[in-house]
Amino acid sequence: MTEKSFSSSPEAFAQVRENYLRITENIANAVAKANRQDKIRFMAVTKTVPVEKVNYAVSLGINLLGENRVQEFLGKRDFYVPDCEIHFIGGLQNNKVKYIIDKVSMIHSVDSEKLALEIDKRASLMERIMDILIEVNIGKEESKGGILPDAVNEFSDFCFHMNNIRLRGFMAIPPPDDNGSNERYFEQMQRIYNDCRSKYGEDIDTLSMGMSNDYEQAVLHGSNLVRIGSALFGNRK
Ligand SMILES: *Cc1c(COP(=O)(O)O)cnc(C)c1O
């Protein structure tokens, strides 16, 4: 049996369904525990996942896909079932913005003035407004993208005042801290998000944090968009 046919076997689909139901229930439990009334968006992160498995997840009720890699996305997008919202969440080079600007409804990974300017310019050429999130390097890790926490205020101002960009909030990928828990970072992100929302108002409505290993904790700390890959589709090869 080839890998491809295995990955789309009935067993593989049944596993995705089971995972979906479990994650949905875990999210609902975290929402109840946090006593929240708002809605949490469940994004399926599609990197390395075959199209038919992605489409199956959509058939279960997922209506938001997260794309990391421009080339992979461009190769797969024509085969996705229509009417699914797609966000770009991976590191984005300035020269790739033009390939995705008309194909996604939000970019989560904006982390430099140059990138913001390029998105603004390309959006303007398309006569559209692009929704963006600022990626925050909340753990101050050298190897990672994102704006350092100290620079968030200034960069938010910069993005907020561009004509063809609409700042919607923040994204983060916190590292585990010494206790193997991200809690401290999630709390810091929640503070950054709330401060920005009091400053700019209700346009700021998205806090994108929480992945397969920590989405419940993220929901306890105000995340309203969790990005889930391996817990839904299985481990990536
Ligand atoms: C891969 C990826 C995810 C999902 O990771 P999992 O741990 O597999 O859930 C979420 N966000 C970003 C930005 C990613 O690159």
Side-chain angles (χ1 to χ4, degrees):
M1 189 183 272
T2 66
E3 248 175 23
K4 189 161 191 298
S5 64
F6 177 74
S7 72
S8 349
S9 67
E11 293 80 7
F13 283 169
Q15 188 65 57
V16 171
R17 181 164 189 276
E18 198 177 296
N19 294 340
Y20 172 75
L21 295 173
R22 186 186 66 251
I23 295 164
T24 308
E25 186 180 332
N26 290 342
I27 292 172
N29 288 339
V31 166
K33 191 168 164 190
N35 210 1
R36 294 177 60 165
Q37 315 297 330
D38 55 336
K39 210 171 140 357
I40 315 294
R41 298 200 73 185
F42 179 165
M43 168 191 282
V45 175
T46 67
K47 58 182 182 256
T48 78
V49 180
V51 169
E52 55 271 27
K53 231 168 154 182
V54 174
N55 286 341
Y56 179 70
V58 172
S59 78
L60 296 172
I62 285 180
N63 60 8
L64 177 60
L65 304 180
E67 297 292 327
N68 280 77
R69 299 167 184 161
V70 172
Q71 285 313 319
E72 182 182 339
F73 169 49
L74 295 179
K76 283 156 83 176
R77 66 181 289 271
D78 288 342
F79 304 97
Y80 286 154
V81 287
D83 298 332
C84 200
E85 196 177 337
I86 299 178
H87 293 178
F88 196 84
I89 62 171
L92 183 57
Q93 291 171 313
N94 293 352
N95 61 0
K96 300 277 174 66
V97 171
K98 57 178 175 288
Y99 300 119
I100 63 159
I101 194 75
D102 57 339
K103 299 177 182 71
V104 302
S105 61
M106 196 187 286
I107 299 175
H108 288 217
S109 45
V110 179
D111 67 352
S112 75
E113 292 193 358
K114 274 194 175 145
L115 179 57
L117 285 165
E118 176 67 11
I119 293 170
D120 187 64
K121 179 180 116 186
R122 294 287 167 184
S124 157
L125 290 172
M126 300 292 302
E127 298 183 13
R128 65 168 296 180
I129 306 227
M130 178 55 80
D131 286 344
I132 66 149
L133 304 180
I134 292 173
E135 180 174 353
V136 182
N137 185 353
I138 195 66
K140 302 183 189 173
E141 296 170 282
E142 265 179 38
S143 61
K144 283 209 184 142
I147 296 277
L148 288 171
D150 285 348
V152 164
N153 267 336
E154 197 182 335
F155 190 56
S156 303
D157 261 341
F158 182 83
C159 292
F160 191 78
H161 291 107
M162 308 204 85
N163 285 331
N164 292 76
I165 278 180
R166 183 188 297 123
L167 178 61
R168 297 279 301 271
F170 301 93
M171 185 269 261
I173 309 175
D177 68 14
D178 299 342
N179 310 316
S181 145
N182 297 340
E183 194 152 4
R184 168 165 64 105
Y185 296 124
F186 286 145
E187 282 170 9
Q188 288 171 17
M189 284 307 304
Q190 190 170 21
R191 220 170 301 135
I192 287 172
Y193 172 74
N194 286 337
D195 287 351
C196 190
R197 195 171 148 92
S198 7
K199 190 166 168 192
Y200 297 121
E202 293 187 351
D203 264 7
I204 309 299
D205 63 1
T206 306
L207 181 55
S208 165
M209 60 183 191
M211 314 196 330
S212 289
N213 290 324
D214 55 16
Y215 63 91
E216 290 158 283
Q217 216 178 29
V219 168
L220 293 178
H221 293 288
S223 167
N224 57 19
L225 193 164
V226 294
R227 308 178 312 268
I228 311 232
S230 49
L232 177 66
F233 293 118
N235 285 331
R236 286 181 289 275
K237 296 190 189 76

